[in-house]
């Protein structure tokens, strides 16, 4: 493994700006003020975090619990429902319909059909997502049954995302995945029969123990399943994963494939998907022609997102915020009747108009192209001129093609896009810890 391309501990995937490490509990008042003010004229989305899993993957960096009993699960669902009730009364709602809804985790499909119906009944007493363009629900194959898949259809899910990650059982086991490949193939006919508007399969390039042969077999199997989209993440090592803690503790060397190998595998996968009729939607996703993502595209164009659930991230009217990440604080602030409950926000950051520009630009670049006129109209900034040295560097390195109407990343640039984004950060955020 080349030292220059070794997968080191640290965040690679860029999902927001400014970096999360800059958000503070001191700024919670800004979030509360935004939520209690009339909204901006932008689309509105809702995120619900379901933090339960059968096992914790060794590469997982999300807030999840694998040891909660049935009583505690119900306690959490009651707190989440109470939070939704509080959110539904906020002036920031402004009578706007939800453009998109996203059930993430954790493993939302960890919940039983009874729990799902009960949760949705409680939610619908306060909110309505019947006008949403997209309702996405993340699933782990081993948690599904035919009845549960039908439940997802009944509660209004339009887009199901299946966390396959790989098809090799030893790789799945060694990386801490809860499911095995037979569970994938058992669940797939139920998913197809349910008739969701769109079904996505997730894969991960560079899981511990993977080889070129095994990776290519996994991609072929995914294509044979004929999903509407395939999303492929490159394995990374954020600070709070099992692997990262072992590496930082000196117990193991980095076990993850180097970046050059991961990108070679991803390039091969994109080529195979393209040959199968898929088109490039982003640095991570290939889709069948016509498939779109309301959640992603609205977020990347500055929509509001009401975040609910433990440790979840949202943003409203130019203020980013995150809910309390600890169980007792999150549940405790919602475990009361009437006015005693309060929004469980733990930290926040009010961003400047320039930071909003940077955020939109770097996120939209993940699609592989930018329209300079969009940013000129919205922010009165010529992004080609403002960041000319960066664009010229990327053009000279064969990572981007530039003209007045469109900035386009090359394939090489697209598949390493997250490594290109920090160059656009403001000076005070260059080199700081991202999370």
């Amino acid at each position: 493994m080349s030292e220059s391309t070794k997968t080191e501990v640290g965040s690679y995937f860029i999902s927001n700006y400014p970096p999360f490490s800059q958000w503070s509990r001191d700024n919670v008042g800004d979030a509360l003020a935004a939520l209690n003010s009339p909204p901006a004229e932008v689309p509105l989305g809702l995120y619900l975090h379901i933090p339960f899993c059968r096992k914790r993957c060794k590469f997982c960096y999300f807030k999840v619990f694998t040891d909660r009993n049935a009583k505690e699960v119900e306690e959490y669902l009651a707190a989440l429902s109470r939070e939704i009730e509080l959110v539904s009364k906020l002036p920031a709602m402004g009578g706007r319909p939800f453009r998109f809804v996203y059930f993430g985790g954790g493993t939302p499909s960890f919940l039983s059909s009874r729990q799902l119906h009960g949760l949705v009944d409680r939610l619908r007493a306060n909110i309505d997502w019947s006008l949403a363009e997209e309702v996405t629900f993340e699933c782990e194959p081993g948690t599904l049954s035919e009845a549960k898949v039908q439940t997802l259809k009944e509660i209004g899910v339009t887009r199901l995302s299946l966390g396959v990650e790989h098809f090799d059982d030893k790789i799945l086991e060694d990386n801490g995945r809860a499911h095995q490949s037979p569970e994938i193939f058992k669940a797939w006919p139920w998913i197809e029969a349910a008739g969701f508007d769109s079904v996505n399969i997730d894969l991960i390039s560079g899981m511990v123990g993977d080889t070129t042969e095994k990776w290519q077999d996994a991609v072929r199997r995914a294509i044979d399943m004929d999903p509407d989209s395939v999303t492929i993440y490159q394995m990374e090592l954020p600070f709070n994963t099992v692997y990262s803690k072992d590496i930082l503790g000196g117990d193991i060397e980095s076990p993850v494939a180097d970046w050059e190998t991961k990108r070679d595998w991803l390039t091969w996968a994109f080529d195979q998907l393209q040959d199968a009729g898929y088109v490039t939607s982003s640095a991570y996703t290939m889709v069948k022609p016509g498939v779109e993502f309301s959640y992603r595209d609205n977020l990347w164009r500055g929509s509001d997102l009401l975040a609910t659930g433990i440790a979840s991230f949202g943003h409203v009217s130019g203020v980013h915020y995150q809910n309390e990440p600890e169980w007792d604080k999150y549940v405790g602030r919602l475990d009361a009747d009437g006015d005693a409950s309060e929004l469980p926000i733990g930290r926040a950051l009010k961003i400047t108009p320039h930071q909003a520009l940077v955020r939109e630009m770097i996120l939209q670049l993940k699609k592989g192209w930018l329209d300079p006129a969009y940013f000129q109209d919205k922010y009165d900034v010529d992004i080609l001129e403002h960041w000319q040295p960066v664009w010229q560097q990327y053009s000279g390195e064969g990572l981007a093609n530039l003209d007045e109407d469109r900035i386009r990343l090359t394939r090489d640039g697209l598949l390493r896009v997250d490594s290109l984004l920090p160059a656009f950060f403001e000076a005070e955020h260059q080199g700081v810890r991202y999370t």
Side-chain angles (χ1 to χ4, degrees):
M1 180 182 294
S2 170
E3 189 66 27
S4 62
T5 66
K6 183 178 179 180
T7 301
E8 304 281 5
V9 173
S11 296
Y12 170 77
F13 186 83
I14 303 295
S15 60
N16 214 328
Y17 184 79
F20 296 107
S21 63
Q22 307 304 296
W23 303 18
S24 168
R25 188 172 292 275
D26 294 339
N27 301 324
V28 168
D30 290 329
L32 293 173
L35 289 164
N36 284 286
S37 300
E41 293 184 5
V42 298
L44 178 65
L46 175 67
Y47 175 82
L48 305 100
H49 189 65
I50 308 298
F52 308 109
C53 290
R54 295 195 295 164
K55 291 175 62 178
R56 183 179 184 89
C57 303
K58 295 180 181 179
F59 53 81
C60 175
Y61 55 94
F62 296 109
K63 189 68 177 184
V64 302
F65 300 94
T66 60
D67 58 352
R68 299 292 167 169
N69 59 40
K71 181 180 178 181
E72 290 171 315
V73 173
E74 290 296 339
E75 178 184 49
Y76 179 82
L77 295 180
L80 179 61
S81 300
R82 175 60 178 148
E83 184 183 7
I84 292 286
E85 181 182 355
L86 296 177
V87 166
S88 71
K89 299 174 183 177
L90 292 170
M93 286 284 294
R96 291 177 292 175
F98 287 114
R99 182 74 64 86
F100 55 91
V101 178
Y102 197 103
F103 289 81
T107 307
S109 58
F110 177 93
L111 301 180
S112 67
S113 289
R114 179 188 61 79
Q115 288 169 329
L116 286 168
H117 275 298
L119 173 62
V120 170
D121 286 346
R122 282 182 280 185
L123 299 183
R124 283 181 172 159
N126 296 290
I127 60 173
D128 174 26
W129 63 65
S130 62
L131 298 179
E133 298 170 352
E134 179 181 283
V135 179
T136 299
F137 197 97
E138 294 180 347
C139 296
E140 184 253 286
T143 62
L144 294 178
S145 65
E146 187 171 12
K148 190 181 293 186
V149 171
Q150 285 301 315
T151 294
L152 298 180
K153 183 71 173 178
E154 290 165 4
I155 65 175
V157 172
T158 64
R159 178 176 175 265
L160 186 145
S161 188
L162 190 65
V164 169
E165 321 309 4
H166 211 290
F167 290 88
D168 183 279
D169 287 338
K170 188 174 190 312
I171 290 175
L172 291 170
E173 180 178 359
D174 289 350
N175 286 267
R177 290 295 292 172
H179 75 274
Q180 293 279 276
S181 59
E183 293 170 304
I184 301 169
F185 300 120
K186 184 178 182 181
W188 191 248
W190 303 331
I191 293 170
E192 288 185 305
F196 295 99
D197 292 352
S198 179
V199 178
N200 174 77
I201 283 179
D202 280 347
L203 298 177
I204 297 178
S205 168
M207 294 178 78
V208 173
D210 207 355
T211 66
T212 298
E213 182 180 4
K214 290 180 177 181
W215 171 250
Q216 292 183 356
D217 181 65
V219 172
R220 292 189 188 101
R221 287 174 179 265
I223 292 173
D224 287 343
M225 292 171 72
D226 196 35
D228 298 287
S229 62
V230 178
T231 299
I232 305 176
Y233 297 102
Q234 298 178 58
M235 184 88 150
E236 59 173 325
L237 292 168
F239 286 98
N240 62 335
T241 70
V242 172
Y243 284 140
S244 297
K245 291 175 182 177
D246 288 344
I247 293 168
L248 294 173
D251 298 326
I252 61 173
E253 290 290 323
S254 176
V256 178
D258 61 87
W259 290 109
E260 183 178 356
T261 298
K262 286 183 286 193
R263 288 169 185 148
D264 284 346
W265 287 350
L266 190 53
T267 295
W268 187 88
F270 270 37
D271 286 342
Q272 298 303 304
L273 286 159
Q274 183 172 303
D275 289 346
Y278 291 78
V279 295
T280 303
S281 178
S282 77
Y284 325 102
T285 306
M286 298 285 282
V287 303
K288 289 183 176 179
V291 172
E292 297 181 353
F293 300 108
S294 178
Y295 175 81
R296 180 197 71 187
D297 292 345
N298 278 293
L299 283 184
W300 290 0
R301 284 179 171 260
S303 71
D304 282 349
L305 177 68
L306 295 177
T308 59
I310 190 169
S312 59
F313 295 93
H315 41 270
V316 174
S317 298
V319 181
H320 297 330
Y321 67 93
Q322 183 190 19
N323 275 350
E324 294 283 5
E326 301 305 324
W327 182 278
D328 289 343
K329 287 187 176 181
Y330 174 79
V331 173
R333 289 171 67 173
L334 293 162
D335 186 19
D337 296 324
D339 295 334
S341 292
E342 59 177 339
L343 293 173
I345 299 175
R347 60 174 178 162
L349 180 68
K350 185 175 183 178
I351 66 174
T352 67
H354 182 73
Q355 289 167 344
L357 161 64
V358 174
R359 179 183 182 274
E360 280 198 53
M361 190 183 75
I362 63 175
L363 293 179
Q364 289 184 37
L365 191 57
K366 289 168 174 272
K367 295 184 73 171
W369 59 272
L370 294 173
D371 177 6
Y374 168 87
F375 296 95
Q376 185 73 58
D377 291 343
K378 187 169 184 177
Y379 292 100
D380 195 26
V381 173
D382 183 336
I383 61 172
L384 274 168
E385 179 181 338
H386 189 86
W387 283 283
Q388 185 179 25
V390 179
W391 293 123
Q392 290 301 321
Q393 177 187 342
Y394 290 165
S395 176
E397 294 174 352
L399 302 173
N401 296 316
L402 313 176
D403 61 53
E404 293 182 0
D405 298 325
R406 179 89 23 131
I407 299 169
R408 284 195 180 276
L409 296 182
T410 63
R411 168 68 75 80
D412 190 26
L414 181 67
L415 299 189
R416 65 179 66 228
V417 65
D418 284 279
S419 69
L420 307 183
L421 303 182
F424 301 103
F425 288 8
E426 295 165 300
E428 62 266 33
H429 299 141
Q430 297 282 344
V432 305
R433 178 165 168 168
Y434 184 71
T435 55

